[in-house]
Amino acid sequence: MAKTLDDYRQELKIYNSLTGKKETFEPLVPGHVGMYVCGPTVYSHVHLGNVRTFVSFDVIYRYLKHLGFKVRYVRNITDAGHLEDNSDEDKISKKARLEKIEPMEIVQKYTVDFHRILDKINNLPPSIEPTATGHIIEQIEATKEILNKGLAYEVNGSIYFDVIKYNKEVDRYGKLSGRKIEELIANTRELEGQDEKRNPQDFALWKKAKPQHIMRWPSPWGEGFPGWHLECTVMSTKYLGEQFDIHGGGMDLKFPHHECEIAQGKALSGKDPVRYWMHANMLTMNGKKMSKSTGNTILPAEIFSGDNDKLSKPYDPATVRFFFLMAQYRNVLDLSEEALQAAEKGLKRLWDAYNKIDALPESKETDWNLNAWRDSLYEAMNDDFNTPVAVARLFEGAKTVNQIAQGQKHITAADKKRLKDIFDTFMFEILGLPREQGEGACTQNLDHVLRILIDLRNQARKNKNWELADRIRDELAAMGIRLKDGKDGTTWEIV
Ligand code: AMP
Ligand code: ZN
């Protein structure tokens, strides 16, 4: 008998970073899933590595919803509290000070940009997108509570979490990242601003604002701002409960950010806040992690427009999304021209096959096992969201479509409808691919058409047909496309 969605829902396995094992997924409340993912710090454009992580969790969200779970997906916006490495200054506050504008102008600009990019790449919006600055009161309350429990201390207007005491009295600190507190102590260097702490592992729940710090709020300990780790604890538990199902983020956030979240959550409620920790692996470029701080980045907009010196042509958001899906989210993925080209070709193959389905010849019998193929797609997704295997199964489906089109295989009218449904479900609903090409492909097509026109104009000029040559130039200009004649030939730009 064919399996049902209820069957598939029981078989979902998730790799839990906390236990290091793939576990059968059992939500706290049957039929419901609470999922929190650390969002961006909105002080600059998101790079393609950030986007990869958000696409990974978008596919996870889509699949959970498809299985019939009622999902509440919370992804925050970090608009305060994230300090520059090795410094006491908030990233947004610093940028606002340097550019002499309001911190909220920085936040607004990059939040809008972030939403635009995720929209282009076809991510669904989360159910709730809370901001750190919108939850200052909750963060002050949580800080008070941890102080009352004796697991934090005040020094000169700042409040620090007492890691050593937590480790002794509550639970082992380091259990997510597998670090031992003794090693942490031995390995930490004294960094600027940490002299206030009793131990270098302690982290700020609340920081006193220095005079030049623009983003500041009143608190029982004077004017200051909340710590980055605390915002995620407060916002996740506010909307999902003191214990919830899934917490995600990039691998680089495991330590210290998520380790601190566990400690804060457990200090507050006595419970482990998260049941399944999920970590997405890094996007690399030239083998190195894509990262703002090292400058090894490419922006999504630069890829979609082709305006970059790393790739030879623009790539469509759909191609970029498909490129991400060709790796499992827990594996490192390296950005390269070859990989993008393979994704572009592969996606076209799937679209072509999908568009052939309606016109396939119908037979009295179907001579391939549609149920087994459908099962194999669910098995791939149920195996910790293994998208590259699901994509490989879709390619098998595309191959069969082509065989049916050529009369080598057969399908009934009813199965043809099911076949289309399965493609619809996996390509569009779960993997979130768009139904057609978008921006990058349009630019590419336009470029092809304009090259033909530029050739025709050159030919006309050679033949001294000035009338035709001018007409091509002028009519394009009237459409807002300017041709520029240079020593390396003619180029075009949109004005
Ligand atoms: P940030 O704005 O730096 O806090 O990062 C937002 C999200 O992107 C976090 O979940 C990071 O772990 C993730 N991230 C940062 N760099 C990369 C990368 N190179 N590849 C994949 N994810 C990344
Ligand atoms: Zn976080």
Side-chain angles (χ1 to χ4, degrees):
M1 236 190 50
K3 283 190 175 178
T4 64
L5 260 191
D6 288 339
D7 299 324
Y8 294 129
R9 192 167 54 237
Q10 316 283 334
E11 292 168 5
L12 172 62
K13 287 205 161 54
I14 294 184
Y15 180 88
N16 189 348
S17 307
L18 191 61
T19 58
K21 290 196 191 91
K22 272 186 205 165
E23 298 171 2
T24 302
F25 178 64
E26 283 174 35
L28 273 169
V29 181
H32 292 251
V33 178
M35 174 162 94
Y36 184 89
V37 171
C38 295
T41 306
V42 282
Y43 72 109
S44 65
H45 294 290
V46 279
H47 59 63
L48 203 68
N50 303 131
V51 175
R52 180 190 178 199
T53 288
F54 297 123
V55 169
S56 296
F57 285 101
D58 181 60
V59 172
I60 290 165
Y61 176 43
R62 284 167 175 272
Y63 188 59
L64 291 169
K65 284 201 331 170
H66 170 75
L67 288 178
F69 288 114
K70 208 163 175 299
V71 189
R72 181 179 291 166
Y73 173 21
V74 183
R75 188 188 63 214
N76 71 302
I77 294 280
T78 296
D79 58 353
H82 198 165
L83 300 185
E84 284 282 359
D85 287 346
N86 303 346
S87 119
D88 252 3
E89 196 165 14
D90 178 299
K91 292 185 184 207
I92 292 159
S93 197
K94 179 175 173 189
K95 185 128 184 184
R97 180 172 59 78
L98 294 176
E99 294 192 7
K100 295 196 171 52
I101 57 177
E102 277 292 324
M104 280 300 136
E105 284 183 89
I106 305 272
V107 165
Q108 176 72 8
K109 177 174 169 188
Y110 294 112
T111 303
V112 168
D113 173 72
F114 172 64
H115 287 154
R116 274 201 191 128
I117 296 294
L118 290 197
D119 207 38
K120 275 194 182 161
I121 206 136
N122 222 19
N123 269 22
L124 299 174
S127 330
I128 305 178
E129 195 169 46
T131 60
T133 55
H135 296 76
I136 300 288
I137 292 171
E138 288 86 344
Q139 293 176 80
I140 292 175
E141 288 306 308
T143 305
K144 279 194 214 160
E145 234 177 290
I146 298 174
L147 268 174
N148 286 341
K149 297 205 160 144
L151 291 166
Y153 54 89
E154 180 184 352
V155 184
N156 185 29
S158 291
I159 314 292
Y160 296 101
F161 189 94
D162 192 336
V163 170
I164 305 281
K165 195 159 177 213
Y166 170 85
N167 188 63
K168 213 183 284 163
E169 295 178 6
V170 184
D171 196 5
R172 184 162 84 79
Y173 178 83
K175 65 183 183 183
L176 176 66
S177 55
R179 297 179 197 223
K180 293 210 174 71
I181 192 96
E182 304 77 30
E183 286 166 14
L184 286 172
I185 294 168
N187 294 339
T188 343
R189 284 175 295 133
E190 284 292 333
L191 300 171
E192 192 213 332
Q194 296 196 339
D195 39 336
E196 287 183 345
K197 298 181 195 175
R198 290 186 191 156
N199 295 288
Q201 295 64 45
D202 297 349
F203 55 89
L205 299 174
W206 184 264
K207 283 292 274 181
K208 180 194 173 88
K210 288 190 176 155
Q212 80 270 22
H213 204 281
I214 323 172
M215 299 176 85
R216 49 171 70 224
W217 290 267
S219 81
W221 318 285
E223 289 210 334
F225 58 98
W228 172 42
H229 311 312
L230 190 60
E231 87 179 59
C232 283
T233 290
V234 156
M235 291 190 270
S236 58
T237 55
K238 170 160 181 168
Y239 298 109
L240 301 173
E242 54 192 27
Q243 203 178 33
F244 56 95
D245 298 301
I246 298 175
H247 192 315
M251 209 77 111
D252 56 341
L253 299 187
K254 217 187 221 186
F255 186 88
H257 186 53
H258 293 158
E259 204 71 74
C260 296
E261 277 191 60
I262 294 179
Q264 292 166 154
K266 200 149 188 182
L268 284 164
S269 74
K271 291 184 192 155
D272 274 309
V274 177
R275 306 231 307 164
Y276 300 85
W277 278 97
M278 296 185 72
H279 289 100
N281 215 325
M282 296 292 111
L283 181 74
T284 57
M285 193 161 64
N286 302 319
K288 282 194 228 92
K289 181 190 164 189
M290 193 168 285
S291 147
K292 262 171 233 169
S293 54
T294 58
N296 186 37
T297 58
I298 187 162
L299 301 182
E302 293 172 341
I303 297 195
F304 304 156
S305 68
D307 188 10
N308 66 76
D309 54 11
K310 296 174 179 94
L311 302 166
S312 70
K313 61 177 192 135
Y315 289 93
D316 194 71
T319 301
V320 175
R321 186 173 180 101
F322 195 62
F323 156 69
F324 289 152
L325 299 176
M326 288 169 94
Q328 209 260 353
Y329 76 90
R330 279 195 296 124
N331 290 331
V332 170
L333 175 65
D334 195 58
L335 180 77
S336 68
E337 185 98 47
E338 299 75 57
L340 285 169
Q341 272 169 10
E344 194 174 60
K345 247 173 78 187
L347 182 54
K348 186 167 177 309
R349 195 139 49 96
L350 288 186
W351 272 329
D352 285 349
Y354 177 80
N355 290 331
K356 273 187 206 158
I357 296 177
D358 282 341
L360 286 180
E362 292 162 9
S363 305
K364 286 214 177 68
E365 274 176 51
T366 302
D367 57 3
W368 70 295
N369 192 337
L370 209 56
N371 281 342
W373 179 61
R374 179 171 177 261
D375 279 348
S376 74
L377 282 158
Y378 279 102
E379 273 163 26
M381 292 306 289
N382 272 344
D383 181 18
D384 193 29
F385 311 95
N386 201 331
T387 55
V389 173
V391 166
R393 301 287 176 252
L394 286 174
F395 282 139
E396 285 164 20
K399 192 171 151 197
T400 311
V401 167
N402 289 326
Q403 287 170 330
I404 297 169
Q406 286 158 14
Q408 295 159 0
K409 277 211 156 102
H410 306 89
I411 195 163
T412 63
D415 278 346
K416 207 165 99 171
K417 214 171 147 289
R418 287 190 64 214
L419 172 67
K420 194 162 181 198
D421 278 351
I422 300 170
F423 265 108
D424 274 332
T425 301
F426 279 87
M427 274 180 78
F428 308 127
E429 185 188 333
I430 296 173
L431 297 182
L433 295 164
R435 286 175 185 271
E436 54 199 25
Q437 295 175 316
E439 188 187 24
C442 280
T443 316
Q444 243 181 58
N445 290 342
L446 180 63
D447 187 58
H448 286 160
V449 172
L450 287 170
R451 284 195 190 287
I452 296 171
L453 285 172
I454 290 169
D455 266 359
L456 288 175
R457 176 167 164 262
N458 287 343
Q459 203 107 56
R461 290 206 291 190
K462 234 192 230 152
N463 298 337
K464 302 205 164 32
N465 186 348
W466 308 120
E467 200 185 332
L468 179 60
D470 289 349
R471 187 175 151 209
I472 292 173
R473 188 197 56 207
D474 295 344
E475 288 196 8
L476 285 175
M479 285 170 59
I481 297 170
R482 181 158 64 207
L483 297 185
K484 289 190 300 185
D485 298 313
K487 59 178 188 318
D488 298 327
T490 306
T491 56
W492 62 270
E493 65 180 3
I494 294 179
V495 288

